[in-house]
Amino acid sequence: MAEKISMGANGKLVVPNNPTIPFIEGDGIGPDIWRASVRVFDAAVEKAFKGEKKIEWKEVLAGEKAFNATGSWMPEATMDAFKEYLLSIKGPLTTPVGGGIRSLNVALRQELDLYVCLRPVKYFEGVPSPMWQPEKVNMVIFRENTEDIYAGIEYMTGTPEAQKLLDFLINEMGVKNIRFPETTSLGIKPVSKEGSERLIRSAIQHAIEHKLPTVTIVHKGNIMKYTEGAFKNWGYELAEREFPGEVYTWNQWERTKKDSGEAVANEEMKLCAVGGKVIIKDAIADNFLQQALLAPQDYSVIATLNLNGDYISDALAAQVGGIGIAPGANINYLTGHAVFEATHGTAPRFANTNTMNPSSVILSGVMMLEYMGWRDAAELITNSVGKTIRNKTVTIDFYNLMKEGTLLKTSEFADEIIRNL
């Protein structure tokens, strides 16, 4: 009998053996890749738990399919289902052009307060990559999901709202460096202490739980001192206040260096790292993007704001084969709500061709199974995807970049993963 996943009093998910999980198949290539992916999920759960566990899938509508059926891009019933059942998974969605919802994905994140965009990036052997040593890339990005410029507070030049804000900035706040006020659009970048802390706390907890060596706070605090600079400072303060026996921060290193010299500070950091403490450090965003190419092995968990995280997650995904195989999740660790999703677009010209790579949805499902605590099934899929790619039995995106590969359709690729479970 199907049951609902719930949040326990201890802050941990309570997952029954037959949970109901809503899904949105998505627009464009969404139906093709969902049909392939769901067969992989069901086969892995069956194999891992020998029939004792099974997911009951509940389709809900959003995007183009929802609009055609109901006249709404995001029906209230869909949002209610996402709230009620806590976990859900979705394919890519079309965002309406010319008004209405700015982005269906952003609407979901804001409504459910999904403050973490979680993007793991790792290399699967055999995936075509532009990098010399893509296997050195193995990071998990915690991208703040509800603040920064993605809050959507902006005003178009020539509107009364833009003029009102402009007058306030110039006349009330004494701002003098708006160079062309007559033609300037304006945006506001909110960054709160609470929003920053809950994101960075989640990143540190992940590093501790998974025994990862570092958390890097990536920011542009050298320029935006009171938003991104504050994000960094609040992160260091939180790390030392809430995780005193489990982390060692660059700020602590700086204090030891000042009091006892650099050699003593270096030895202290080395002892903490050897002793299993998570090293908390920071990097300016532009420098991090350089270092992610030159020395990706130096980074494991990344905590960053919304816009930085958008750039970084796609750039890192490109290093290991592109967003076509990049999974993603949007999570509120306090309420338990989580939406797992393909990170690529709808590719409408390839709709119903049964040719596209379903790996982004499949690996997002792996993240969902891990989040549920069904790690045996998650591991089966991860290992099988790796084996399938190593065997060069792939969809057209990889086939075109490989020598002596075997070209598979979307459904055939799923068949091969199930065979390799």
Side-chain angles (χ1 to χ4, degrees):
M1 179 181 173
E3 299 176 75
K4 295 174 187 174
I5 296 171
S6 60
M7 177 59 82
N10 61 353
K12 302 289 185 183
L13 286 181
V14 178
V15 182
N17 284 344
N18 296 99
T20 298
I21 296 181
F23 72 92
I24 297 170
E25 64 177 8
D27 297 324
I29 62 172
D32 280 350
I33 61 176
W34 173 255
R35 280 192 294 268
S37 300
V38 72
R39 290 196 293 114
V40 172
F41 304 149
D42 288 343
V45 169
E46 169 69 28
K47 187 175 181 68
F49 304 114
K50 298 177 173 56
E52 291 180 10
K53 297 183 179 184
K54 187 177 188 296
I55 295 171
E56 301 294 334
W57 300 103
K58 175 183 174 66
E59 184 176 12
V60 294
L61 301 181
E64 208 163 17
K65 187 173 182 178
F67 185 76
N68 292 338
T70 70
S72 170
W73 292 93
M74 179 65 73
E76 195 172 325
T78 298
M79 196 66 80
D80 289 344
F82 278 27
K83 291 175 182 176
E84 182 179 353
Y85 292 97
L86 293 191
L87 272 62
S88 51
I89 186 167
K90 57 179 280 298
L93 291 177
T94 299
T95 292
V97 176
I101 298 174
R102 183 184 295 262
S103 162
L104 296 173
N105 291 328
V106 172
L108 274 172
R109 294 167 192 173
Q110 295 283 347
E111 180 71 21
L112 298 174
D113 194 23
L114 304 172
Y115 59 87
V116 171
C117 178
L118 188 64
R119 292 282 296 271
V121 183
K122 65 175 286 187
Y123 181 66
F124 285 91
E125 183 185 345
V127 172
S129 166
M131 301 294 292
W132 176 44
Q133 294 177 304
E135 68 278 2
K136 289 186 174 182
V137 180
N138 191 357
M139 302 184 212
V140 182
I141 302 148
F142 280 73
R143 168 191 172 196
E144 203 290 317
N145 221 6
T146 61
E147 298 191 318
D148 196 13
I149 64 169
Y150 275 66
I153 307 169
E154 56 177 1
Y155 304 96
M156 184 65 188
T157 181
T159 63
E161 294 84 1
Q163 190 59 51
K164 188 174 184 179
L165 181 55
L166 195 65
D167 290 343
F168 173 75
L169 292 172
I170 293 172
N171 299 325
E172 300 291 327
M173 301 299 291
V175 173
K176 300 185 184 303
N177 53 353
I178 299 176
R179 187 153 297 178
F180 304 107
E182 294 83 5
T183 58
T184 294
S185 292
L186 297 166
I188 295 176
K189 175 188 177 80
V191 176
S192 70
K193 184 177 183 182
E194 292 87 347
S196 300
E197 285 186 342
R198 66 182 184 173
L199 182 281
I200 295 167
R201 182 184 295 115
S202 297
I204 295 172
Q205 287 171 335
H206 181 90
I208 292 169
E209 182 181 341
H210 292 85
K211 295 181 169 53
L212 298 172
T214 64
V215 174
T216 305
I217 301 169
V218 179
H219 61 93
K220 276 296 289 182
N222 56 326
I223 303 299
M224 291 171 274
K225 299 181 187 300
Y226 305 132
T227 51
E228 304 228 356
F231 177 80
K232 177 198 76 170
N233 293 336
W234 291 328
Y236 278 135
E237 291 166 6
L238 174 131
E240 293 182 24
R241 182 177 71 246
E242 295 191 10
F243 304 94
E246 298 170 292
V247 306
Y248 182 83
T249 73
W250 274 10
N251 275 5
Q252 290 171 288
W253 180 88
E254 291 280 3
R255 292 196 295 270
T256 301
K257 177 185 173 185
K258 183 179 178 182
D259 295 339
S260 307
E262 187 169 345
V264 174
N266 287 340
E267 185 62 24
E268 182 177 84
M269 179 177 282
K270 187 188 299 182
L271 288 171
C272 287
V274 170
K277 287 191 177 184
V278 177
I279 306 301
I280 312 294
K281 55 185 179 176
D282 73 273
I284 304 296
D286 47 314
N287 180 254
F288 171 77
L289 285 166
Q290 177 183 224
Q291 292 305 313
L293 291 169
L294 297 174
Q297 69 278 5
D298 291 347
Y299 302 92
S300 50
V301 178
I302 308 302
T304 191
L305 286 164
N306 213 321
L307 183 61
N308 292 334
D310 202 1
Y311 297 150
I312 288 167
S313 54
D314 279 14
L316 289 175
Q319 292 179 222
V320 298
I323 62 171
I325 62 164
N330 301 281
I331 301 173
N332 183 320
Y333 287 99
L334 302 176
T335 65
H337 286 100
V339 178
F340 300 85
E341 63 178 357
T343 58
H344 54 70
T346 58
R349 73 190 184 100
F350 297 108
N352 305 312
T353 61
N354 193 29
T355 58
M356 295 292 100
N357 191 339
S359 295
S360 183
V361 173
I362 290 172
L363 294 174
S364 296
V366 167
M367 294 177 70
M368 183 182 74
L369 291 167
E370 289 174 344
Y371 187 65
M372 292 163 62
W374 292 14
R375 290 185 173 85
D376 289 351
E379 191 173 338
L380 280 176
I381 297 173
T382 301
N383 292 340
S384 183
V385 169
K387 182 178 179 181
T388 304
I389 293 170
R390 283 196 304 276
N391 291 344
K392 296 187 176 183
T393 47
V394 293
T395 47
I396 194 165
D397 53 334
F398 288 170
Y399 175 79
N400 285 339
L401 299 171
M402 284 180 172
K403 291 180 180 177
E404 301 174 354
T406 300
L407 176 61
L408 300 180
K409 291 189 173 294
T410 308
S411 55
E412 295 168 338
F413 184 70
D415 293 338
E416 199 65 23
I417 293 172
I418 292 167
R419 242 190 308 275
N420 291 329
L421 280 173

